[in-house]
Amino acid sequence: MDTPDQPITSYATPARRRGYVRAMHQIAAGRRPGTPVRVYLSAPPEFLTRPSWKHRIDTLRTALPAGIELLTYQDAFDPAADYHPQWAALAETLDGLVVTGTRRDKRRPREQTLGPIARQELITMVSAGRPVLLHRTEYGLVPVLDCRPKRIGQEPQQRLRLTIPRDWSPSQPTLQAALAALDPTGATPTREVPRQGEPKPEHLARPFAAAPRQP
């Protein structure tokens, strides 16, 4: 439970956040200026027919670095073909992922629930070490690393609930590092000095993966 008098800007440990920032800076440092950057927006199917869909796309284009190729399901998939091989091929070409989910309880605006497909897309990209951001109009972009994850249901229909930190701010270093990693201009971000003897952060995908089967 959140403590009211304690600011909460992330649910990740400081060590994991520092590891994430360093990983994003390494991506940014290795990008050749002008190299195309592709980001896929994963959204529930019903979002694509809402009147607010175009506004969301425009908002995302403004929030992400200029020059990114932002793809949606309509751009990237053939609905008549099998999704899974299409996603596997697409994922190999992506530099990042933006996910957005549904809000099941209006009393909890910081909670977003991803369906089984979006959850698997998230796991694929996080496991590959690429930036994955949650988008909600009221809060903007939030690295999934900073969100509190909770798995819901059972495989193969397991969903993922992500809670945005109560005191989230776009100035957080994790978001700035992720945006730098997606910048096609190859702008060099401010680097964080590693701490001597600091343990390596846990695998980023672990909180989002399926629970291990019991023997």
Side-chain angles (χ1 to χ4, degrees):
M1 179 179 293
D2 298 353
T3 305
D5 58 352
Q6 179 183 1
I8 298 176
T9 55
S10 177
Y11 290 108
T13 64
R16 288 189 67 213
R17 296 190 91 201
R18 288 192 293 269
Y20 181 85
V21 169
R22 286 197 298 273
M24 295 299 104
H25 285 177
Q26 288 175 357
I27 293 174
R31 187 178 306 285
R32 181 178 301 174
T35 302
V37 173
R38 307 182 92 206
V39 174
Y40 178 65
L41 169 59
S42 177
E46 62 267 26
F47 280 26
L48 279 64
T49 58
R50 291 182 177 178
S52 60
W53 178 245
K54 183 180 184 303
H55 174 69
R56 181 183 290 273
I57 295 295
D58 292 341
T59 300
L60 266 176
R61 292 191 188 281
T62 301
L64 291 167
I68 282 178
E69 182 184 4
L70 182 61
L71 302 170
T72 66
Y73 182 87
Q74 296 162 316
D75 307 314
F77 291 93
D78 177 359
D82 187 3
Y83 157 82
H84 295 286
Q86 290 187 86
W87 166 248
L90 176 66
E92 291 293 327
T93 73
L94 295 176
D95 299 281
L97 176 71
V98 175
V99 294
T100 185
T102 56
R103 185 177 64 182
R104 300 297 182 184
D105 189 340
K106 293 183 178 181
R107 297 169 298 178
R108 299 177 178 179
R110 294 184 290 113
E111 291 184 357
Q112 296 278 277
T113 301
L114 307 183
I117 290 178
R119 174 177 167 270
Q120 289 300 325
E121 291 171 345
L122 180 152
I123 292 172
T124 298
M125 297 301 289
V126 171
S127 298
R130 297 165 195 166
V132 181
L133 306 170
L134 174 68
H135 180 258
R136 182 161 181 81
T137 305
E138 298 94 320
Y139 298 95
L141 292 167
V142 185
V144 296
L145 172 95
D146 291 310
C147 297
R148 180 172 60 196
K150 181 179 180 180
R151 295 189 295 269
I152 304 170
Q154 301 296 324
E155 293 287 12
Q157 296 300 316
Q158 193 168 84
R159 295 170 290 142
L160 180 68
R161 178 182 296 158
L162 296 172
T163 301
I164 297 170
R166 185 189 64 209
D167 302 302
W168 172 255
S169 167
S171 64
Q172 290 299 309
T174 48
L175 176 59
Q176 296 307 310
L179 293 177
L182 295 172
D183 191 344
T185 66
T188 303
T190 302
R191 295 183 179 278
E192 183 181 271
V193 178
R195 296 187 181 184
Q196 295 295 325
E198 181 179 276
K200 294 182 179 180
E202 297 179 3
H203 195 286
L204 297 181
R206 185 174 298 169
F208 313 108
R213 294 182 179 181
Q214 298 297 325

